[in-house]
Amino acid sequence: AQRVTQPEKLLSVFKGAPVELKCNYSYSGSPELFWYVQYSRQRLQLLLRHISRESIKGFTADLNKGETSFHLKKPFAQEEDSAMYYCALRTGGFKTIFGAGTRLFVKA
Amino acid sequence: GAGVSQSPSNKVTEKGKDVELRCDPISGHTALYWYRQSLGQGLEFLIYFQGNSAPDKSGLPSDRFSAERTGGSVSTLTIQRTQQEDSAVYLCASSLGLGPTEAFFGQGTRLTVV
């Protein structure tokens, strides 16, 4: 079965602290993974995708096929990073499924 | 339009009534998705359209839910005999449908069943 698991519903860190949002997936094929973010009163939008190996707003995510994980990391959290983060898996049929989301709260 | 447009932005309906939610995807996007966003439930996949292929309806929670996409563009999500548990934000997204492309989301329709 195809599944995306984000074990933490809420993650609270202090400004300047490292942050890691966990994502694990279940998929028998070759996965395409994404992180989406939703800031307060804004639309859900793409943050980054694994295939691009990019760093966006200081965030990076590495696909670990052995552990079937795609954790999102940032070395120094900022208050403006506070948002809802969703990990997403796009299957070979182009259907995209999302995890339950993790709300990140960065405290001053 | 420049982005995915959904209407109405807010809908309050009485329990038992039918509702229709509309989505205008980005022009040229062959893939269209409907999701439901509930407090504490995250983003729940409902249905997916890709080109002329039969839609993937595997996420529809009951037979009260249906969706259609006319002419490969505009989509309508219909909920019949609404129940209070249908209250949520319904999100539509579209993508090019080919390759590892991102999904672009609409602003959502907040449905409240009273």
Side-chain angles (χ1 to χ4, degrees), chain A residues 9 32 34 36 38 43-46 49 51 84 86 90 93-101, chain B residues 4 33 35 37 40-43 45 48 56 58 95 97-103 105-107:
Chain A
K9 285 192 173 181
E32 293 175 15
F34 304 80
Y36 283 79
Q38 188 169 28
R43 300 184 183 205
L44 193 61
Q45 59 187 288
L46 178 70
R49 69 197 84 186
I51 199 167
M84 193 74 177
Y86 292 94
R90 192 160 181 259
F94 308 118
K95 171 181 169 181
T96 301
I97 58 174
F98 288 77
Chain B
V4 178
Y33 311 80
Y35 294 90
Q37 189 177 35
Q41 298 296 319
L43 214 57
F45 166 79
Y48 159 65
D56 181 340
S58 58
S95 73
L98 296 173
T101 60
E102 69 181 281
F105 282 82
Q107 81 281 14

Side-chain angles (χ1 to χ4, degrees), chain B residues 71-113:
Chain B
S73 180
V74 171
S75 177
T76 302
L77 177 69
T78 301
I79 309 173
Q80 295 178 311
R81 305 180 303 281
T82 52
Q83 304 294 314
Q84 288 187 329
E85 60 262 28
D86 299 335
S87 296
V89 175
Y90 289 82
L91 293 174
C92 176
S94 71
S95 73
L96 283 171
L98 296 173
T101 60
E102 69 181 281
F104 292 84
F105 282 82
Q107 81 281 14
T109 293
R110 181 175 296 279
L111 176 66
T112 304
V113 182

Side-chain angles (χ1 to χ4, degrees), chain A residues 93-95, chain B residues 29-34 45-57 60 66-70 72-77 92-95 97:
Chain A
F94 308 118
K95 171 181 169 181
Chain B
H29 280 192
T30 58
L32 187 146
Y33 311 80
W34 282 98
F45 166 79
L46 297 177
I47 189 169
Y48 159 65
F49 297 89
Q50 170 55 44
N52 296 320
S53 303
D56 181 340
K57 305 178 182 179
L60 294 177
S66 63
E68 62 177 23
R69 189 178 184 190
T70 54
S73 180
V74 171
S75 177
T76 302
L77 177 69
C92 176
S94 71
S95 73

